[in-house]
Each structure stands twice: as structure tokens, then as C-alpha cells.
């Protein structure tokens, strides 16, 4: 009898767990809030990329226009993309942007590449000294 009660309790608990829906975090409730969060992320991304010829980007706008070049400057309203081929500067407002892809290396990546090159040179020098 005890086994039967235990089995029924186990089956009931498994069924109640199977029907449970995961809780969702409260997110933006309106389109305006979603847009504001997206613009803040864009501002952070553009600031992280920096400005100058090393800050290469590929920008897709909401009207399906694609811009390639580098960021020449940014402010609270938008940023400027300079086409590397012809030097044409285009002002882009943050709300117009669909995606931004940066094509530069972070400082950490540059340091890692430099350290790797230094270690490689040292290893080569040590090998040449021992076998030369």
C-alpha cells in the first residue's frame, strides 16, 4: 500500500513539474523603451570602437542602406562614418541604425598579439643560440 501511495505522489509531482512554465524577466514594455535600450547599446558600441581610421565599421540602416568605412566622431545624437574609398562623410543618427559591426581589434587583443610575437622572437633566438 505504501508503495502505491509513493508511486502516485511521485507521478503527481513529475506531472506538476512538466506543466510548469519558466518565469520570464520583466523586459521593456513598449516600443519606445526597446528603442531607447537599443540606442544606448549602440552608443556604447560606437564609443568602444573609438574614432579614426582604425575604427572601421559596417553599418546597416533601417532603410536597408549599407555604409562601410570608419567612425570619424560621435556625440549624443549620432556618429559620422567616412567612406574609406572616396572620403565621403555620412552623418548617422542612432535611431536610423539597424546594426553596427566593428572590424577593429580591442586593446587586449593587440597586447596579446604583441606578447605572442615577443615570445616567438625569444624562442627563435634561444634556438639559434643553442644550435648556432
Amino acid at each position: 500500500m505504501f508503495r502505491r501511495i509513493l508511486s502516485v505522489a511521485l507521478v503527481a509531482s513529475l506531472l506538476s513539474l512538466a506543466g510548469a512554465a519558466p518565469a520570464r524577466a520583466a523586459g521593456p514594455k513598449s516600443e519606445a523603451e526597446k528603442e531607447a535600450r537599443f540606442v544606448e547599446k549602440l552608443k556604447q558600441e560606437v564609443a568602444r570602437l573609438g574614432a579614426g581610421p582604425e575604427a572601421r565599421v559596417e553599418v546597416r540602416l533601417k532603410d536597408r542602406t549599407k555604409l562601410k568605412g570608419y567612425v570619424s566622431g560621435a556625440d549624443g545624437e549620432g556618429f559620422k562614418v567616412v567612406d574609406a574609398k572616396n572620403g565621403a562623410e555620412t552623418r548617422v543618427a542612432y535611431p536610423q541604425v539597424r546594426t553596427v559591426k566593428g572590424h577593429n581589434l580591442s586593446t587586449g587583443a593587440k597586447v596579446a598579439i604583441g606578447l605572442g610575437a615577443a615570445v616567438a622572437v625569444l624562442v627563435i633566438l634561444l634556438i639559434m643560440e643553442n644550435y648556432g
Side-chain angles (χ1 to χ4, degrees):
M1 183 72 177
F2 180 72
R3 284 184 176 175
R4 185 175 283 171
I5 293 173
L6 186 61
S7 297
V8 170
L10 182 61
V11 168
S13 64
L14 288 174
L15 288 176
S16 68
L17 286 176
R24 293 193 174 150
K29 296 183 177 160
S30 69
E31 286 297 318
E33 289 178 13
K34 286 181 185 178
E35 183 73 23
R37 280 184 59 189
F38 182 70
V39 166
E40 283 303 314
K41 286 182 182 180
L42 280 175
K43 287 180 183 180
Q44 291 172 359
E45 179 69 16
V46 171
R48 185 187 66 79
L49 289 171
E54 297 86 29
R56 297 181 330 183
V57 293
E58 182 178 314
V59 180
R60 289 188 186 263
L61 303 178
K62 290 181 179 176
D63 65 358
R64 306 223 188 263
T65 305
K66 185 160 74 168
L67 303 171
K68 284 187 179 182
Y70 64 89
V71 177
S72 67
D75 58 25
E77 302 296 319
F79 58 99
K80 296 176 186 174
V81 177
V82 176
D83 189 341
K85 293 179 183 174
N86 61 17
E89 187 174 87
T90 305
R91 173 91 175 136
V92 179
Y94 289 116
Q96 294 176 338
V97 177
R98 181 180 299 242
T99 61
V100 174
K101 292 182 184 177
H103 298 288
N104 65 346
L105 295 176
S106 67
T107 304
K110 291 176 185 176
V111 169
I113 290 170
L115 286 175
V119 168
V121 168
L122 286 174
V123 168
I124 291 171
L125 289 175
L126 287 172
I127 291 173
M128 288 176 57
E129 186 175 299
N130 287 334
Y131 293 108

